[in-house]
Amino acid sequence: MTLDIASISKSYEGTPVLRDVSLTIADGEFVALLGPSGSGKTTLLNVISGLVTPDEGRLTLDGTDITATPAGERRFGMVFQSYALFRHMTVAQNVAFGLRVRTGRDRTSRKSRDARVEELLALIEMESFGDRYPAQLSGGQQQRVAMARALAIDPRLLLLDEPFSALDAQVRQSLRGSVRELQQRVGIASILVTHDQAEAFAVADRVVLMRDGRIEQVGTASDLRERPTTDFVRDFLAS
Amino acid sequence: MPVLQTPLKRLPRRRRSPLPGLGLTLGVTVTFVTLIVLLPLLGLGWQLGQLGWSDYIFVMTDSRTLAALRITLTAAAAATVANGLFGLLLAWVLVRYRFPGRAALDALVDLPFALPTAVAGIALVSLYSQNGWIGALTAPFGFEIAYSWAGIVIAMIFTSVPFAVRAIQPLIEELDPAEEAAALTLGASRWQIFRAVTLPQLMPGILTGTGLSFVRSLGEFGAVIFIAGNIPFETEIASLLIMIRLDEFDYPAAAAIAGTMLALSLILLVAINIAQTRLYRRFETGA
Amino acid sequence: MTRRILIGLAVLFAALVIVLPVAAIVSRAFADGAGAWWAAVSEPETLQAVRLTVITALIVLPLNIVFGLCAAWAIARFRFPGRRALLILIEIPFAVSPIIAGLCFLLVYGAYGPIGGALQPWGVQLMFNLTGIVLVSLFVTCPFVVREVLPVLSVTGEDEEKAALTLGASGWQIFRFVTFPNITWAMVYGAILATARAIGEFGAVAVVSGAIRGQTMTLPLQIELLYNDYNTTGAFAAATLLTALALVTLVLRGLIAAIHPARGATP
């Protein structure tokens, strides 16, 4: 799956939040959107997910224009900053949700759903937690359930919106590694939004540094550190 | 104007939320509100508009109308004063004291809201009429409550006391005990503390509670007409007069009185709202 | 000492003004014994009034819930011009007194009103029948469900719904599986208050019902009729039914508030 982002712009009430952003994400690649708050990174993620409609520009997935495709039909897995777990459903019900709501031709049987849930809970090493409710889990466990729920729909792209920000430093460290490992095992192209450069560099193949709605520089950790193209990149990474 | 017409331009821009359902839910809401709330209110305005100034003045200066307005306003004012005092008392007792039956008392406060007004009406008249439990006690002193102005006031107190209690109660709960303690260490008496420290902080609640209570009393019908006696110029309230004009098919007169009462209620509600925000602001800025 | 006086005064006031009336209803209704009460309650006219009242509530309730949920969803989840004005319009029925509410409906939907008059040639009559009673009941109960559901919906945030959206759920599925479980209790609470109000409404219904004996009398109107006929036992017996309903409403409210403390305690 290759995602092509071409000349995306978006304004809220006359204030531009994304200005002519273009970026290509290759199959299986892990990209981090890094930048200070207000740089437009979360809006860009929301445009990709379909939750925000851009004013201009187009999104292409493997040659198909998906700019006008509603969020629900894109089949992009999304992990929210707040996790947004359904608090009245058990862990298993949360993970199964995306399969349960399929109708018509895509209808899934209960049996196949249960099997898939079991598989995913094993993947996040939470096999015995299926009957718990989100409120009975630790922050790190909730985060993993949110990952499993997003992966359940066999997403074509995985979107992570500051997924570690609500966790304490130690849990954050260990989860970073497991998210990266999970991503590589599933082999899915992923986009992570973060304001934490250590996190971006630890997880991503490429880092996209954003500022004021524009892409400042794209590159690997060493590209950005050793060859910053602007003063902002140097200053931001030095801070 | 954009030169290129990309597919994007044709996308609906009106909704910022990606969630579906705006069209359906707003459609249902607007249809319902238009048919059930807006059109009837416009109907009253339309009828008033047809009336013209001189006819309006004629209806409103009719001595029976004026008497009905006077009776309604004075009774509502008396009921409101009573509810301000009792509301404060009940709210204070409910928040500050723990005693057996407190929960029951708390629940009872809502009874007037839950009890249909016609039921309240016949209950009150049976209590306060000459052979009722309370009426029998006051009758020997030549003081008759039912079928008099006092009866109207009692009915209004009954139907609107929950407004006062429920508006004041949360403010008492939020009071900071440290402020009272501070006043105590400064040598203030308990009455002084209440007057100078507590009462001013309860003012927004008292204002809202009494205001709502007054508006409710102005319009109360079911509970009042049974106990009022309904004698023109003496115990006839404005709502009843509107009803009588309707029965006479005198729609213009009914609309004139109703429009006046409604305007008065709405102005009062807006005024309460404004006064309340001002009072709250005073506390927030810490003046 | 102050404590005792204040508690005493509060209890005395509550007893005199709130409890005694209810006690009076029961005492008068059963003054001639339970047999007389039963005979009065099972009078054909009273039963007819009960029937009409129940039918009205059964029509009003679903309409009110559908409207309430739609309005709450639209107002909580979207920004559109006139949003504030819409909310004010929804709340206005609380500020309009019953007789004035009834009058407003007569002026528009009555035979002399613009809409009622226009429908007249087709033989459609909206006032002085069940339709009229239902319409004013919808007016007086309009704000209840919205008022309870809207605050809950506003604080439950949209993240869960957006998550459901990205997982491929349809609008109806999002509402059914994600939103509705969060607002069920608020909705039930509002619906209980609305039902109690629809059943007990007197003034507004009195204006538009036409008060045709044995036909368009709701229970509250029937109570007035019996009372004015000097049928005291009949009036008070009918009143016990509505009193029981009021007490049940209070108990249900209390229960919901106890199970679900987050529920606002709006009167």
Side-chain angles (χ1 to χ4, degrees):
Chain A
M1 293 290 164
T2 307
L3 177 73
D4 198 43
I5 302 163
S7 305
I8 294 286
S9 294
K10 175 75 188 175
S11 315
Y12 285 122
E13 275 150 22
T15 316
V17 282
L18 288 176
R19 313 176 203 227
D20 196 25
V21 173
S22 298
L23 183 70
T24 302
I25 288 133
D27 197 11
E29 189 183 22
F30 203 135
V31 170
L33 302 179
L34 175 67
S37 60
S39 59
K41 54 191 192 303
T42 298
T43 309
L44 181 57
L45 193 78
N46 281 330
V47 166
I48 297 170
S49 71
L51 291 174
V52 166
T53 309
D55 299 336
E56 270 161 80
R58 41 206 296 136
L59 293 170
T60 324
L61 190 71
D62 283 345
T64 315
D65 187 340
I66 57 159
T67 321
T69 309
E73 289 165 31
R74 292 188 187 192
R75 208 150 53 78
F76 289 176
M78 181 141 174
V79 176
F80 290 74
Q81 186 169 8
S82 63
Y83 312 138
L85 293 176
F86 308 127
R87 68 196 104 155
H88 59 282
M89 296 183 200
T90 62
V91 166
Q93 286 169 336
N94 262 283
V95 175
F97 185 84
L99 303 172
R100 178 172 156 212
V101 295
R102 287 192 189 166
T103 51
R105 222 156 27 87
D106 304 326
R107 245 185 117 85
T108 53
S109 73
R110 204 190 167 94
K111 239 173 122 183
S112 70
R113 285 206 296 266
D114 289 349
R116 181 86 177 117
V117 167
E118 213 166 301
E119 192 184 318
L120 283 158
L121 289 182
L123 194 69
I124 58 168
E125 290 162 3
M126 286 180 65
E127 293 97 325
S128 57
F129 290 84
D131 294 331
R132 300 269 192 102
Y133 283 89
Q136 300 167 312
L137 303 178
S138 72
Q141 288 169 332
Q142 291 184 18
Q143 201 273 337
R144 274 146 64 198
V145 173
M147 281 282 287
R149 184 178 68 178
L151 290 173
I153 59 169
D154 234 335
R156 304 192 283 183
L157 192 64
L158 186 61
L159 307 173
L160 306 153
D161 184 10
E162 305 253 13
F164 311 116
S165 62
L167 303 168
D168 62 58
Q170 213 173 354
V171 183
R172 205 183 303 176
Q173 291 278 357
S174 74
L175 267 183
R176 259 186 220 162
S178 66
V179 165
R180 173 69 180 167
E181 199 195 303
L182 213 62
Q183 183 262 345
Q184 280 177 336
R185 209 169 340 148
V186 182
I188 181 178
S190 305
I191 302 172
L192 168 86
V193 162
T194 181
H195 60 270
D196 179 351
Q197 46 169 308
E199 189 174 297
F201 291 134
V203 176
D205 300 315
R206 277 196 304 157
V207 172
V208 178
L209 188 55
M210 294 187 68
R211 175 205 188 187
D212 289 341
R214 285 200 185 86
I215 292 180
E216 202 75 8
Q217 190 175 353
V218 183
T220 60
S222 55
D223 287 343
L224 264 64
R225 285 217 179 96
E226 288 154 27
R227 291 175 292 280
T229 51
T230 63
D231 291 347
F232 173 77
V233 176
R234 192 177 43 241
D235 294 347
F236 186 81
L237 295 184
S239 65
Chain B
M1 287 297 286
V3 185
L4 286 170
Q5 191 111 59
T6 64
L8 245 188
K9 304 279 178 209
R10 270 184 267 124
L11 285 178
R13 289 264 184 87
R14 70 200 151 88
R15 66 179 195 207
R16 263 192 224 134
S17 171
L19 294 171
L22 175 64
L24 175 74
T25 56
L26 194 59
V28 170
T29 307
V30 169
T31 310
F32 187 98
V33 168
T34 305
L35 289 176
I36 299 297
V37 182
L38 191 58
L39 279 180
L41 289 176
L42 288 178
L44 181 60
W46 173 77
Q47 181 75 44
L48 278 174
Q50 287 205 321
L51 198 58
W53 259 119
S54 60
D55 287 336
Y56 174 79
I57 299 288
F58 177 77
V59 172
M60 294 312 292
T61 52
D62 175 66
S63 57
R64 189 167 165 190
T65 313
L66 286 175
L69 288 177
R70 197 195 67 235
I71 292 157
T72 311
L73 286 168
T74 53
T80 302
V81 171
N83 274 342
L85 293 173
F86 287 125
L88 185 59
L89 171 71
L90 273 168
W92 185 264
V93 168
L94 284 172
V95 176
R96 283 299 168 95
Y97 302 131
R98 291 292 169 269
F99 54 95
R102 195 196 70 93
L105 188 64
D106 196 23
L108 270 179
V109 168
D110 283 328
L111 189 64
F113 274 152
L115 200 67
T117 55
V119 176
I122 62 167
L124 289 171
V125 72
S126 77
L127 261 187
Y128 290 94
S129 65
Q130 269 182 340
N131 48 7
W133 292 341
I134 298 178
L137 298 178
T138 58
F141 304 99
F143 187 59
E144 218 180 314
I145 298 173
Y147 314 119
S148 73
W149 181 83
I152 300 176
V153 176
I154 294 273
M156 287 176 172
I157 291 176
F158 177 83
T159 52
S160 60
V161 70
F163 282 111
V165 181
R166 295 301 183 222
I168 300 170
Q169 213 172 352
L171 291 180
I172 300 179
E173 279 162 6
E174 280 164 26
L175 284 177
D176 182 2
E179 282 185 40
E180 285 169 48
L184 202 64
T185 61
L186 294 169
S189 73
R190 278 163 80 175
W191 175 243
Q192 281 174 322
I193 294 173
F194 183 76
R195 277 283 320 269
V197 180
T198 312
L199 203 55
Q201 302 196 52
L202 300 182
M203 273 324 280
I206 295 173
L207 185 83
T208 316
T210 52
L212 292 176
S213 161
F214 186 70
V215 170
R216 168 76 197 248
S217 297
L218 282 184
E220 185 49 45
F221 178 71
V224 173
I225 54 157
F226 292 96
I227 202 173
N230 305 329
I231 302 155
F233 301 100
E234 282 174 35
T235 53
E236 183 179 71
I237 55 163
S239 287
L240 181 65
L241 188 57
I242 298 173
M243 190 75 175
I244 290 170
R245 293 296 181 235
L246 270 178
D247 285 341
E248 297 165 352
F249 293 100
D250 190 351
Y251 286 8
I257 305 169
T260 310
M261 298 296 286
L262 183 60
L264 184 62
S265 303
L266 292 180
I267 290 168
L268 275 170
L269 289 174
V270 171
I272 295 168
N273 243 317
I274 294 172
Q276 208 198 13
T277 20
R278 290 228 175 122
L279 278 177
Y280 273 124
R281 202 177 301 150
R282 201 174 69 189
F283 293 127
E284 274 163 14
T285 49
Chain C
M1 192 58 206
T2 329
R3 180 191 132 98
R4 290 220 176 141
I5 294 172
L6 289 181
I7 295 177
L9 277 175
V11 171
L12 183 71
F13 172 79
L16 275 182
V17 179
I18 304 174
V19 181
L20 266 190
V22 175
I25 296 167
V26 178
S27 129
R28 294 291 287 268
F30 290 98
D32 300 328
W37 175 82
W38 178 248
V41 167
S42 48
E43 274 290 317
E45 271 188 20
T46 302
L47 282 182
Q48 171 62 25
V50 171
R51 221 172 65 96
L52 182 64
T53 306
V54 171
I55 291 172
T56 306
L58 286 179
I59 300 174
V60 168
L61 188 61
L63 289 174
N64 191 288
I65 288 177
V66 168
F67 159 73
L69 294 180
C70 282
W73 178 264
I75 293 170
R77 289 293 179 258
F78 301 98
R79 302 285 171 275
F80 50 87
R83 188 165 159 267
R84 255 192 89 78
L86 185 63
L87 196 56
I88 291 173
L89 268 180
I90 292 173
E91 293 242 318
I92 264 191
F94 276 158
V96 179
S97 64
I99 294 295
I100 298 179
L103 169 72
C104 290
F105 275 81
L106 266 196
L107 292 176
V108 173
Y109 296 113
Y112 303 104
I115 294 179
L119 292 172
Q120 188 97 325
W122 281 281
V124 178
Q125 193 192 336
L126 297 174
M127 291 291 117
F128 305 125
N129 55 23
L130 179 64
T131 319
I133 297 172
V134 167
L135 285 174
V136 291
S137 302
L138 284 174
F139 178 88
V140 296
T141 58
C142 164
F144 284 105
V145 173
V146 188
R147 233 190 179 199
E148 298 301 328
V149 174
L150 188 56
V152 181
L153 210 50
S154 309
V155 297
T156 31
E158 309 175 17
D159 271 2
E160 291 182 35
E161 286 150 8
K162 284 182 181 165
L165 190 69
T166 63
L167 292 168
S170 69
W172 171 248
Q173 287 173 325
I174 294 175
F175 178 76
R176 172 73 190 77
F177 297 129
V178 179
T179 313
F180 190 71
N182 285 326
I183 57 172
T184 316
W185 284 113
M187 186 201 76
V188 170
Y189 191 89
I192 289 172
L193 298 187
T195 311
R197 180 69 199 264
I199 289 176
E201 179 54 36
F202 177 71
V205 172
V207 175
V208 302
S209 88
I212 304 163
R213 257 193 126 109
Q215 279 186 37
T216 62
M217 300 300 277
T218 62
L219 199 47
L221 298 182
Q222 182 68 18
I223 290 173
E224 186 200 20
L225 185 83
L226 291 168
Y227 186 80
N228 289 342
D229 279 354
Y230 299 102
N231 183 349
T232 332
T233 311
F236 282 94
T240 53
L241 298 180
L242 289 179
T243 309
L245 179 87
L247 294 175
V248 168
T249 308
L250 284 184
V251 170
L252 285 177
R253 278 183 59 167
L255 282 179
I256 294 178
I259 315 170
H260 214 76
R263 275 237 19 57
T266 43

